[in-house]
Amino acid sequence: MSSVLGVSVGAGTVRLARPQLGGTQGNDAPYSFEVQSISMPEQQADEAAADVIAGALAAAPEIAATTITFRSEPQARAIRAAMARRQLTNYQLVPEAVAAVHFAHATSDMREVSTLAVYDLGSSGLTVSVVNARTSDVYQCERISDISGDYLDSLIREQQIASGRIAHPADPAGLAALDGLCRAAKEQLSNSNAVALPSEQGLVLLTQENFEALMMLAIESSARMARDVIIRAQHPVQAILVVGGGARIPLIARVLERTIGVPVIVPAEPEAALARGAVLLARPAQVQQAPAAAPLGAPLGEEHDSTPAWLTAPTRRRSPLSALAHRANSRRELNAAVLTVSSLVVIAAIGLGLGYGPEVLERGSASEDSQAVPVTTPPRPSVAAPTSAPVTTTEAVHETVAAPPVRQQAEEPADAGPPPPGPNTYTVVPGLPPIVVPTLPPVVLPGFPGPGQ
């Protein structure tokens, strides 16, 4: 009978989870898992994880599929390279937040949760993710190392040394032993009000009240960081899932619920939640195909063909055809407007060049002063007829403003109207005199007959 394997790779621990055959099912644990934790150096986490997986596959040939969680793309590349060096190909990589969402569906009632925040406090840092609880899309994922399980342990160690009950270790080995003792005291406080652990340096004594006062600032800072990540994700969450070793601290759930205002889910054995969620994603049918996650809440061993949304690259948005057509129409309207304005400018320039500018100005000033003093402008002579010489005027300029100098011109009948338009007369702008285009003489080239020959 085939089996599956789920693996989570932490900073100093690799956890393996397998479904326990014949296990009992309860209300809080729909599936029974066999979990194994293996400590390893933090600097060689990827290589050590690949060795552990290779050993587990060699010891259990019935394992048909393996799922490994990762928290970042650099870690995923490092795990993939380490597995390739050992010629291991029967596996898939999934984000830690996706495994957490699948585990939440298997252990909690998530029917009213559309967006879930995952608060993962491990030994090396804090990771906060905002995930779509139905499609497994990761909206936002941020990680900091300022707040971690090791940092909380160091706070306890420094507090114990400052109290005078514990002597400062003289070597790194003694310091590491004291850190382990402080970590054990922290874990025991999740079920008791006080802890007293003897050591070579002295007695580690810690009460629940002192512990919470010591942790409060760091945990409140982590809750504010989680709230900021949710705000940046622009997707309101309906619940928060707390996983990792730090989830055993009861103060974390209370501070998160008070700061963010949504229910907080803390599963049993939260440090193994990612490995158990990876088991739910492992499918034997995916050995030689691209990895695909199972539907949320599907029983183990059931084959499926759906591809989760987090494996699908987002498509590039394209402008609709109606928007493109509107843009083309706008350009054509703009070009037509520019052409019209240019034509008016050319016509005005031609009118000014033919000498109609002063007459237009005189008509404008006459219209403004028409109510004060009426002014009569004589008709303009034809362009073809030569104009007479200007008459010298000796009258004072300041004598009158409304009476312009009289121009001498040929007498015409009073009732004579404007001359009939000739063949070369064109009216360009209504209200202005027509434009007469002179007739050019024909050009006769040598060797060619002229007109009329």
Side-chain angles (χ1 to χ4, degrees):
M1 183 177 182
S2 62
S3 180
V4 292
L5 178 67
V7 183
S8 65
V9 182
T13 306
V14 176
R15 290 183 173 86
L16 308 178
R18 293 180 58 188
Q20 194 173 16
L21 301 179
T24 59
Q25 296 183 355
N27 295 330
D28 297 334
Y31 304 112
S32 298
F33 299 95
E34 179 184 354
V35 181
Q36 181 183 4
S37 300
I38 302 173
S39 300
M40 59 183 181
E42 183 177 352
Q43 294 77 11
Q44 302 176 357
D46 306 323
E47 297 293 336
D51 291 335
V52 170
I53 296 172
L57 295 178
E62 68 274 10
I63 296 178
T66 302
T67 300
I68 308 171
T69 64
F70 67 92
R71 71 171 58 99
S72 62
E73 289 298 331
Q75 186 190 34
R77 290 193 295 268
I79 294 175
R80 192 178 294 110
M83 297 289 285
R85 283 190 286 270
R86 290 156 183 81
Q87 298 181 356
L88 299 176
T89 59
N90 184 15
Y91 71 94
Q92 63 172 338
L93 291 171
V94 299
E96 291 180 345
V98 175
V101 168
H102 280 254
F103 176 74
H105 275 273
T107 57
S108 307
D109 187 4
M110 300 282 291
R111 288 175 296 180
E112 298 182 357
V113 178
S114 59
T115 305
L116 181 69
V118 181
Y119 178 101
D120 184 2
L121 180 59
S123 60
S124 62
L126 170 65
T127 304
V128 178
S129 306
V130 180
V131 193
N132 189 314
R134 295 187 175 93
T135 63
S136 298
D137 290 333
V138 180
Y139 297 133
Q140 193 81 8
C141 182
E142 298 182 17
R143 179 177 176 83
I144 60 174
S145 57
D146 297 339
I147 302 174
S148 62
D150 293 342
Y151 173 70
L152 301 182
D153 297 341
S154 67
L155 292 179
I156 301 175
R157 179 194 65 203
E158 296 301 326
Q159 188 266 345
Q160 294 295 315
I161 295 176
S163 65
R165 294 187 303 268
I166 298 291
H168 196 285
D171 53 359
L175 188 62
L178 181 58
D179 288 342
L181 197 63
C182 294
R183 185 179 304 108
K186 178 187 67 177
E187 294 173 355
Q188 292 183 17
L189 279 178
S190 60
N191 299 322
S192 60
N193 293 326
V195 175
L197 300 177
S199 66
E200 296 180 358
Q201 290 81 14
L203 183 65
V204 176
L205 181 61
L206 190 63
T207 64
Q208 186 72 34
E209 183 180 358
N210 292 337
F211 173 75
E212 291 186 357
L214 189 63
M215 301 288 110
M216 182 60 71
L217 292 178
I219 293 177
E220 287 180 344
S221 178
S222 69
R224 289 191 297 269
M225 181 259 191
R227 181 187 58 192
D228 294 342
V229 172
I230 295 173
I231 293 175
R232 283 190 287 271
Q234 299 181 357
H235 288 81
V237 301
Q238 289 76 42
I240 301 176
L241 176 65
V242 183
V243 297
R248 291 185 176 273
I249 303 175
L251 181 63
I252 291 180
R254 298 201 305 269
V255 172
L256 285 175
E257 187 171 0
R258 182 177 68 245
T259 304
I260 303 177
V262 296
V264 178
I265 304 172
V266 182
E269 299 182 4
E271 63 277 357
L274 299 181
R276 289 185 285 177
V279 172
L280 302 177
L281 291 169
R283 292 294 177 268
Q286 303 167 3
V287 175
Q288 297 180 354
Q289 298 179 358
L296 298 180
L300 292 176
E302 180 181 346
E303 297 184 359
H304 64 95
D305 297 329
S306 60
T307 302
W310 57 269
L311 286 177
T312 306
T315 57
R316 182 182 301 175
R317 294 183 178 180
R318 294 181 174 87
S319 301
L321 295 178
S322 59
L324 296 179
H326 176 71
R327 186 182 304 175
N329 294 335
S330 300
R331 289 183 176 179
R332 285 195 294 267
E333 293 174 359
L334 180 61
N335 293 337
V338 171
L339 181 59
T340 303
V341 173
S342 302
S343 302
L344 294 177
V345 172
V346 172
I347 293 172
I350 294 174
L352 293 176
L354 294 177
Y356 292 104
E359 183 173 346
V360 174
L361 296 177
E362 291 176 2
R363 288 188 179 183
S365 60
S367 61
E368 292 178 0
D369 300 335
S370 59
Q371 298 180 357
V373 179
V375 178
T376 304
T377 303
R380 184 181 180 85
S382 176
V383 176
T387 59
S388 59
V391 179
T392 305
T393 305
T394 58
E395 299 176 357
V397 178
H398 62 275
E399 208 173 284
T400 176
V401 177
V406 181
R407 298 181 181 179
Q408 185 177 0
Q409 58 184 5
E411 294 183 0
E412 294 181 1
D415 55 350
N424 297 334
T425 304
Y426 300 94
T427 301
V428 179
V429 179
L432 294 181
I435 299 175
V436 179
V437 180
T439 303
L440 299 179
V443 179
V444 180
L445 298 178
F448 292 89
Q453 294 181 2

